[in-house]
Amino acid sequence: MARAAAVTSPGRPSAGGERDEAVLARLQLLVTRKLDGLLQGDYAGLLPGPGSEAGESREYRPGDDVRRMDWPVTARTTMPHVRRTVADRELETWLAVDLSASLDFGTGRWLKREVVVAAAAALTHLTVRGGNRIGAVIGTGAEPPARAGRWRSAPPPPAGPGVLTRVPARSGRREAQALLRALVHTPVRPGRSDLGALVDLLNRPPRRRGLAVVISDFLAPPGQWGRPLRKLRVRHDVLAIEVVDPRELELPDVGVLPVVDPETGELHEVQTADAGLRRRYADAAAAQRDTIAAELRAAGAGHLRLRTDRDWLLDMVRFVAAQRHARTRGTTR
């Protein structure tokens, strides 16, 4: 039987805490200067819903909700028009951030953990600049057991949902900065956190409709987190940010490659000169990512994939622009 998850306050800085602080400082400058410049204009959220605030009118298209017919404009123009609505600005956003040990890995420009912090920083900035509230739940591996005498070898990481941290939702830049510091100071522990239990924390207690963002590499079995994600989608708009490293998709031809599992500490030596092995690895990785994408679609969540070897900021801007275009069907406000 799985142990109950522990909900704790943020821990002390990890060994990479100073580096994360430096990354966070750079991100604040990058996000403030560049993200605002790339996302100009009336912006009502990363995944804007229909809302209730009246907006502009446009011509009726097949499939539009007839309850939004703008009869005065229709009478004046003799063409059917519908009244568009603007998403509500007072939005409560919650982040579910997975900091399993597999995030301490990266072969591109960033570590996966740094991309997670970057995505959280961008989302936090987009949320608080409109006066909205943002909170977070953070999950990492299980606490290591207490030492009892001398160990001849390191014990295996304990099983279970790991350590879960909750940061209350608040508005204001100072509170947003405190949330990000809680994130970078959360130590990455051995083992894998239960992503399903982490997502389920956003369902308890029930909150008013808002935006829920899950940031993870989603390497946990989809059967573990799929149902909690579908439950979350019933009440909230959900965005899943998947963080990927290129070496998780394909192996380079570099001869014998020592590989360490960051969650278990197991060491494997892989003969990457074997073309057949590289092909099977790439096929298995592609199938795994397809399964993750299918589970996210089934849950009705938006899906944004960020890579450690790409410009994460540009990918986020493109995603926001695509969402805006899809919601407005190419029209402008």
Side-chain angles (χ1 to χ4, degrees), residues 48-63:
S52 57
E53 181 183 348
E56 297 179 356
S57 295
R58 62 167 173 78
E59 290 188 10
Y60 173 85
R61 296 191 183 96

Side-chain angles (χ1 to χ4, degrees), residues 20-90:
D20 287 333
E21 282 284 351
V23 170
L24 181 59
R26 295 201 310 269
L27 287 173
Q28 296 299 314
L29 183 62
L30 178 64
V31 166
T32 303
R33 291 186 175 181
K34 195 171 181 181
L35 194 60
D36 278 341
L38 292 172
L39 292 176
Q40 294 288 352
D42 185 16
Y43 179 75
L46 192 63
L47 285 177
S52 57
E53 181 183 348
E56 297 179 356
S57 295
R58 62 167 173 78
E59 290 188 10
Y60 173 85
R61 296 191 183 96
D64 287 335
D65 191 344
V66 296
R67 293 174 295 181
R68 295 181 182 172
M69 292 294 297
D70 191 336
W71 296 113
V73 176
T74 299
R76 290 198 305 269
T77 62
T78 69
M79 294 289 292
H81 279 67
V82 292
R83 172 69 67 177
R84 297 174 54 210
T85 54
V86 180
D88 299 331
R89 289 185 174 277
E90 292 185 359

Side-chain angles (χ1 to χ4, degrees), residues 227-309:
R227 185 172 181 177
L229 203 63
R230 289 192 292 272
K231 181 180 178 182
L232 186 65
R233 181 62 181 86
V234 171
R235 189 173 182 85
H236 305 281
D237 289 322
V238 178
L239 171 62
I241 299 182
E242 178 189 7
V243 180
V244 181
D245 187 83
R247 294 287 76 82
E248 295 174 332
L249 304 177
E250 58 182 5
L251 288 174
D253 184 0
V254 292
V256 178
L257 179 66
V259 180
V260 178
D261 187 333
E263 295 182 357
T264 65
E266 295 181 1
L267 174 65
H268 302 274
E269 291 187 349
V270 181
Q271 179 52 268
T272 61
D274 186 344
L277 174 64
R278 296 199 307 273
R279 182 175 61 254
R280 292 192 301 272
Y281 179 91
D283 292 344
Q288 180 187 44
R289 297 299 166 180
D290 290 343
T291 300
I292 293 170
E295 190 70 29
L296 293 175
R297 283 196 304 270
H303 184 194
L304 170 60
R305 180 175 292 172
L306 301 180
R307 293 174 52 125
T308 61
D309 60 340

Side-chain angles (χ1 to χ4, degrees), residues 51-296:
S52 57
E53 181 183 348
E56 297 179 356
S57 295
R58 62 167 173 78
E59 290 188 10
Y60 173 85
R61 296 191 183 96
D64 287 335
D65 191 344
V66 296
R67 293 174 295 181
R68 295 181 182 172
M69 292 294 297
D70 191 336
W71 296 113
V73 176
T74 299
R76 290 198 305 269
T77 62
T78 69
M79 294 289 292
H81 279 67
V82 292
R83 172 69 67 177
R84 297 174 54 210
T85 54
V86 180
D88 299 331
R89 289 185 174 277
E90 292 185 359
L91 179 71
E92 183 170 282
T93 299
W94 278 88
L95 308 179
V97 185
D98 177 18
L99 289 181
S100 296
S102 61
L103 272 296
D104 268 347
F105 173 76
T107 61
R109 299 165 58 185
W110 304 78
L111 293 175
K112 289 166 63 178
R113 176 184 170 93
E114 293 172 343
V115 176
V116 167
V117 174
L123 291 166
T124 300
H125 176 73
L126 290 174
T127 299
V128 300
R129 73 173 184 175
N132 301 315
R133 301 198 303 165
I134 187 167
V137 290
I138 307 168
T140 185
E143 288 275 14
R147 289 177 175 266
R150 294 184 178 180
W151 287 345
R152 294 184 179 180
S153 60
V163 179
L164 306 179
T165 301
R166 188 193 300 273
V167 181
R170 296 188 177 94
S171 60
R173 294 189 180 276
R174 179 178 299 178
E175 287 72 14
Q177 186 72 11
L179 183 151
L180 292 175
R181 290 187 180 279
L183 176 60
V184 301
H185 286 309
T186 298
V188 175
R189 297 177 174 89
R192 167 163 290 280
S193 61
D194 188 333
L195 184 56
L198 181 67
V199 173
D200 215 32
L201 277 183
L202 299 184
N203 290 313
R204 305 191 310 269
R207 303 178 177 88
R208 67 174 182 171
R209 182 175 176 84
L211 173 64
V213 183
V214 182
I215 311 176
S216 173
D217 54 12
F218 290 94
L219 293 181
Q224 181 191 95
W225 48 264
R227 185 172 181 177
L229 203 63
R230 289 192 292 272
K231 181 180 178 182
L232 186 65
R233 181 62 181 86
V234 171
R235 189 173 182 85
H236 305 281
D237 289 322
V238 178
L239 171 62
I241 299 182
E242 178 189 7
V243 180
V244 181
D245 187 83
R247 294 287 76 82
E248 295 174 332
L249 304 177
E250 58 182 5
L251 288 174
D253 184 0
V254 292
V256 178
L257 179 66
V259 180
V260 178
D261 187 333
E263 295 182 357
T264 65
E266 295 181 1
L267 174 65
H268 302 274
E269 291 187 349
V270 181
Q271 179 52 268
T272 61
D274 186 344
L277 174 64
R278 296 199 307 273
R279 182 175 61 254
R280 292 192 301 272
Y281 179 91
D283 292 344
Q288 180 187 44
R289 297 299 166 180
D290 290 343
T291 300
I292 293 170
E295 190 70 29
L296 293 175

